[in-house]
Amino acid sequence: MAVAKERIRQFISENNISSVADVYSLLKGSFKDILQELMEAELDAFPRI
């Protein structure tokens, strides 16, 4: 599903993105959070000994 250009512009504005470095920083933080959630979910899926 394509994201409307207006939504992209809104996201850029809301996150004060003005450079490629800003995009990199935002993606890096998001990726870190996603990995953390996945690892915690995996730990929760297995019983502790």
Side-chain angles (χ1 to χ4, degrees):
M1 178 165 75
V3 178
K5 288 182 183 180
E6 186 56 39
R7 299 252 348 240
I8 294 171
R9 287 185 182 107
Q10 179 182 6
F11 182 81
I12 289 169
S13 176
E14 289 173 356
N15 290 282
N16 299 319
I17 296 173
S18 61
S19 69
V20 173
D22 292 340
V23 173
Y24 174 76
S25 179
L26 183 68
L27 290 175
K28 182 179 175 184
S30 296
F31 188 68
K32 177 184 159 253
D33 293 341
I34 291 168
L35 279 179
Q36 182 70 35
E37 289 294 325
L38 288 171
M39 292 173 78
E40 289 176 9
E42 186 173 352
L43 286 173
D44 291 342
F46 292 98
R48 301 184 201 273
I49 297 176

